[in-house]
Amino acid sequence: MTDLVVQGLSKSFGSNQVLKALDLTVPSRQFVTLLGPSGCGKTTLLRMIAGLEKATAGEIRFGDRRVDMLPPGERNIAMVFQSYALYPTMDVARNIGYGLEVRGTPKPERTEKIGAVAKVLEIAHLLLRKPKQLSGGQRQRVALGRAMARRPDIFLMDEPLSNLDAKLRATMRGELRRFHLDLGTTTVYVTHDQLEAMTMSDLVVVMNEGVVQQIGTPEEVYGKPANLFVAGFIGTPPMNLIPAKVVDGVVTVAGAPLPVPLPPGAPAELILGVRPQDVTMAAPGDAGAVPGKVWMVELIGSERLIEVEIAPKLRVTAEVRASHRAAMDDLVAIRPDPAHIHLFDPATGLAIRA
Amino acid sequence: MRPWIAAILYAVLGAITFVVCFPLLWAISTSLKPKDEIFRWPPTIWPENVTFDAYRELLFGGSVASAPGAGVPPSAYFLTWFGNSIIVSIGSTIISITVATLAAYSLTRFRFWGQRSVPYIAILGYMVPSVIFVFPMFLTMVSLELTDTLFSLILGYVCITLPFCLWLMWAFFRGVPIEIEEAALVDGATRLQVFRQIVLPVALPGIIAASIFSLIVSWNDYLFGRVFMNSMENLPLTVGVMHFFDGTHVDWALMMASSVLMTLPMAILFGFMQRHLVAGFGAGAVKG
């Protein structure tokens, strides 16, 4: 079992720096997700761990072994690609066993390992087929099988579920998690889908513009976002980020005082973050509520999203039960739950904690 | 489709097919006629008396080796010319395909100066009529003392087939996703193993298409053979058969039998490889 350590890793393509002195430690046996918007450098980081990109600076270690100078084949990693990247001219069995074949594993042993993997993945009946004869889900399993057959030190997965339909994706999420628990192999998983990150990971690494924004469990990155980027990126619908002022030691939003506990040393101007799920509707004039006008109402199944304009161009979304009735232009008030309010320093973007 | 439209379509297609196939059918027919029937008027479409004399003379009428020197009938050289054509066609194809495949692979996979412009310059070179550079090339061959050798023909054919083969393979490799090579590298394969075991099998339809193109061009060439070669025993088939026409008299039976025999290898090859040819050209045309 191997832990993965990345130290001061940088990568530039010409003048474009995509990774900036990145540090990351992935403990052994953990399932770690690199999460971030397109172009944040997560795939580049994964490809550098795989050895498919050379680092501009920094080092990568698997346990005690420094690997960043080694070619991909000598790192003992396995990678699942977004496009699956199955070898089109080889049948499923040879696809799964190719890594063993080039490493000189004797044929009987190879056949046995291919059979074992195929059985676990329930693709034993497909072993003689070519990739083009398989469905998307089956290809996905073969790609996984290829990764599993070699018993690598580390699994790397680059958005492996993004080409599947929604239903199959949900099934495969569960299966991938199950395989990880069974195999116990350190796994680095790249996705831009926060649902995947939240449901599958032991640790989530939120990245933006080549910099790690926060590393934490799914609960931590959701419940205690380290900065404005994480706060705005994690969660659907996204967190409300509202400018607030401290007047006589009391936090006020659009002139309305709110009972928010203020950490010592907080600046006079703040950004107040509250998730739509933590906002309730109130009547105008209620204490601890901010009055406003309903700007938009959207039904999203069992919930209803109500967007309330509390100041010109400043809107706050509340997620309430679908049974709650509201009409456009109604005069209402919103009440953020003081226990679930996050405060950020607008100058640094960092969370302010007590 | 309405029946009368179909009928017109078939009639038009049938007429075109007849026009295209008639020369070959006429060649086969003439090659099987005795000499007196060839010039009979009105001509017979199919020989009344079928004879294989022309074929017998070409294939079994003795060789240059058995009767060297002047006075040897041109038909005695037929098998030598046939062999020469096979050697130069296969030789130039092997060189063209090897160079084109490796060059196209590096053009699509490695970053270097001129990477984007090389394929376009190559195809531009292919568009220049070969008659324009045949004489400069002849002079080069003279200075290299290579004229009248099969090797000079091989080099000439490489010059005219390589640009298109390169273009075709380049278009083909662009459609091969790089991820499958990366997957093989991660699996532990060396660069050479990746090329041999992953890339080449995927590129096979393209290689076959380019090979057929190169074989046909060099097999059918007349110009280079006419300019570069002069000894009877070194001529390629296309130039050699012109000796059945001696200025005053044409041996039509031998000429036509040679044409039929000359068409056979390419026709057989084409028949076997047609599927790959279509796949190869298709892959070059549509990306992905």
Side-chain angles (χ1 to χ4, degrees), chain B residues 3 36 58 76 122:
Chain B
D36 60 325
L58 289 175

Side-chain angles (χ1 to χ4, degrees), chain A residues 47 73 86-87 98 102-103 150, chain B residues 180 182-185 187 197:
Chain A
R47 289 172 59 81
L86 301 180
Y87 311 128
Y98 185 71
V102 293
R103 280 155 210 268
R150 270 194 295 115
Chain B
I180 61 171
E182 291 178 340
L185 286 175
D187 261 346
Q197 297 174 350

Side-chain angles (χ1 to χ4, degrees), chain A residues 103-179:
Chain A
R103 280 155 210 268
T105 310
K107 196 163 183 201
E109 192 184 330
R110 220 158 66 205
T111 312
E112 191 190 316
K113 284 188 173 169
I114 294 168
V117 167
K119 199 174 157 196
V120 172
L121 291 168
E122 297 170 12
I123 50 172
H125 60 295
L126 304 173
L127 286 178
L128 296 178
R129 293 207 195 157
K130 292 275 172 67
K132 68 177 176 191
Q133 297 168 301
L134 304 176
S135 69
Q138 289 168 335
R139 285 179 201 189
Q140 171 65 53
R141 281 163 188 273
V142 176
L144 270 178
R146 185 169 65 184
M148 285 160 66
R150 270 194 295 115
R151 287 282 172 162
D153 289 337
I154 293 177
F155 269 138
L156 305 174
M157 302 194 185
D158 185 9
E159 310 213 18
L161 304 185
S162 59
N163 287 347
L164 303 178
D165 63 56
K167 196 178 162 198
L168 195 55
R169 205 180 307 164
T171 316
M172 287 304 293
R173 273 207 305 266
E175 291 199 5
L176 276 180
R177 188 71 183 131
R178 191 74 246 166
F179 291 141

Side-chain angles (χ1 to χ4, degrees), chain A:
Chain A
M1 299 304 124
T2 311
D3 53 354
L4 161 69
V5 180
V6 171
Q7 262 178 352
L9 200 67
S10 296
K11 177 71 185 174
S12 302
F13 293 107
S15 59
N16 181 21
Q17 194 176 13
V18 286
L19 284 186
K20 297 164 188 164
L22 191 138
D23 294 320
L24 174 67
T25 301
V26 177
S28 164
R29 292 172 162 271
Q30 298 272 294
F31 192 113
V32 175
T33 302
L34 307 180
L35 176 68
S38 299
C40 72
K42 55 190 191 299
T43 295
T44 305
L45 173 58
L46 192 82
R47 289 172 59 81
M48 287 164 81
I49 297 171
L52 297 170
E53 299 281 355
K54 280 206 167 70
T56 311
E59 63 177 66
I60 303 170
R61 277 182 279 120
F62 294 169
D64 300 331
R65 198 161 62 105
R66 188 170 170 184
V67 298
D68 51 271
M69 311 308 277
L70 297 178
E74 290 177 27
R75 297 189 181 196
N76 200 23
I77 42 148
M79 186 158 170
V80 179
F81 291 80
Q82 186 173 2
S83 61
Y84 316 138
L86 301 180
Y87 311 128
T89 55
M90 298 181 188
D91 61 18
V92 168
R94 193 155 177 232
N95 259 286
I96 294 176
Y98 185 71
L100 300 168
E101 187 184 320
V102 293
R103 280 155 210 268
T105 310
K107 196 163 183 201
E109 192 184 330
R110 220 158 66 205
T111 312
E112 191 190 316
K113 284 188 173 169
I114 294 168
V117 167
K119 199 174 157 196
V120 172
L121 291 168
E122 297 170 12
I123 50 172
H125 60 295
L126 304 173
L127 286 178
L128 296 178
R129 293 207 195 157
K130 292 275 172 67
K132 68 177 176 191
Q133 297 168 301
L134 304 176
S135 69
Q138 289 168 335
R139 285 179 201 189
Q140 171 65 53
R141 281 163 188 273
V142 176
L144 270 178
R146 185 169 65 184
M148 285 160 66
R150 270 194 295 115
R151 287 282 172 162
D153 289 337
I154 293 177
F155 269 138
L156 305 174
M157 302 194 185
D158 185 9
E159 310 213 18
L161 304 185
S162 59
N163 287 347
L164 303 178
D165 63 56
K167 196 178 162 198
L168 195 55
R169 205 180 307 164
T171 316
M172 287 304 293
R173 273 207 305 266
E175 291 199 5
L176 276 180
R177 188 71 183 131
R178 191 74 246 166
F179 291 141
H180 174 256
L181 292 176
D182 292 345
L183 297 171
T185 308
T186 311
T187 303
V188 182
Y189 186 102
V190 162
T191 185
H192 64 270
D193 181 343
Q194 46 173 301
L195 184 67
E196 280 176 21
M198 302 303 273
T199 52
M200 297 166 73
S201 323
D202 296 315
L203 279 178
V204 178
V205 179
V206 184
M207 292 178 67
N208 189 37
E209 294 181 346
V211 176
V212 170
Q213 303 290 323
Q214 185 173 4
I215 303 175
T217 61
E219 292 82 3
E220 282 168 350
V221 294
Y222 184 82
K224 289 183 181 170
N227 56 35
L228 280 170
F229 175 81
V230 180
F233 189 73
I234 305 276
T236 313
M239 184 186 277
N240 294 297
L241 296 168
I242 315 158
K245 282 187 178 145
V246 179
V247 180
D248 299 332
V250 178
V251 176
T252 61
V253 167
L258 293 177
V260 180
L262 200 62
E269 299 211 337
L270 301 164
I271 301 278
L272 184 145
V274 61
R275 297 202 180 277
Q277 297 85 344
D278 299 323
V279 179
T280 50
M281 301 303 291
D286 280 4
V290 186
K293 193 166 73 173
V294 175
W295 193 78
M296 173 69 85
V297 182
E298 286 173 302
L299 181 68
I300 51 162
S302 60
E303 262 77 44
R304 196 182 289 276
L305 296 181
I306 302 178
E307 233 177 301
V308 177
E309 193 165 65
I310 55 171
K313 303 269 177 199
L314 179 59
R315 294 191 278 270
V316 176
T317 306
E319 189 176 316
V320 295
R321 299 291 304 164
S323 53
H324 186 100
R325 294 280 158 196
M328 310 268 256
D329 296 334
D330 277 359
L331 292 176
V332 293
I334 50 119
R335 178 183 286 134
D337 179 355
H340 291 102
I341 278 178
H342 309 267
L343 296 175
F344 300 94
D345 184 339
T348 60
L350 296 175
I352 304 167
R353 301 206 200 282

